[in-house]
């Protein structure tokens, strides 16, 4: 898979993060973890690092949702991580 193909696939998975439900976020995080591997194999190491940061932000948002905590900060971080991606 080329770098462009891996990036395009990852960008499709990022769209699933826009649904702010714990189960949807969890599914997206799993797919994005696979994208990290594909991006690394395609030589897109910087993008892979950015996707890892997004996964961390997803995990933080899911934790806040599960614990019924204020979600403003975790979701702001999630949106910032998405904005850093080349999508």
């Amino acid at each position: 898979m080329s770098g462009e193909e891996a990036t395009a696939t990852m960008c499709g998975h990022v769209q699933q993060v826009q649904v702010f439900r714990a189960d949807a976020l969890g599914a997206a995080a799993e797919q994005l973890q696979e994208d990290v591997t594909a991006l690394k194999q395609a030589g897109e190491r910087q993008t892979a690092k950015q996707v890892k940061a997004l996964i961390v932000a997803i995990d933080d948002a899911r934790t806040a949702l599960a614990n019924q905590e204020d979600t403003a900060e975790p979701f702001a971080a999630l949106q910032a991580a998405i904005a850093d991606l080349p999508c």
Side-chain angles (χ1 to χ4, degrees), residues 7-17 31 35 87:
T7 299
T9 298
M10 176 271 304
C11 288
H13 294 149
V14 168
Q15 294 300 315
Q16 295 174 7
V17 177
Q31 290 176 322
D35 293 335
C87 296

Side-chain angles (χ1 to χ4, degrees), residues 22-76:
D23 60 334
L25 290 171
E30 289 177 17
Q31 290 176 322
L32 289 167
Q33 188 59 51
E34 293 175 14
D35 293 335
V36 167
T37 302
L39 288 162
K40 284 182 181 178
Q41 290 173 347
E44 298 290 333
R45 296 206 176 276
Q46 180 59 34
T47 303
K49 286 181 186 180
Q50 291 169 312
V51 175
K52 282 184 178 184
L54 175 58
I55 293 168
V56 169
I58 290 170
D59 288 342
D60 290 346
R62 291 183 70 213
T63 298
L65 286 169
N67 295 335
Q68 297 181 345
E69 299 170 346
D70 181 16
T71 58
E73 189 174 316
F75 279 102

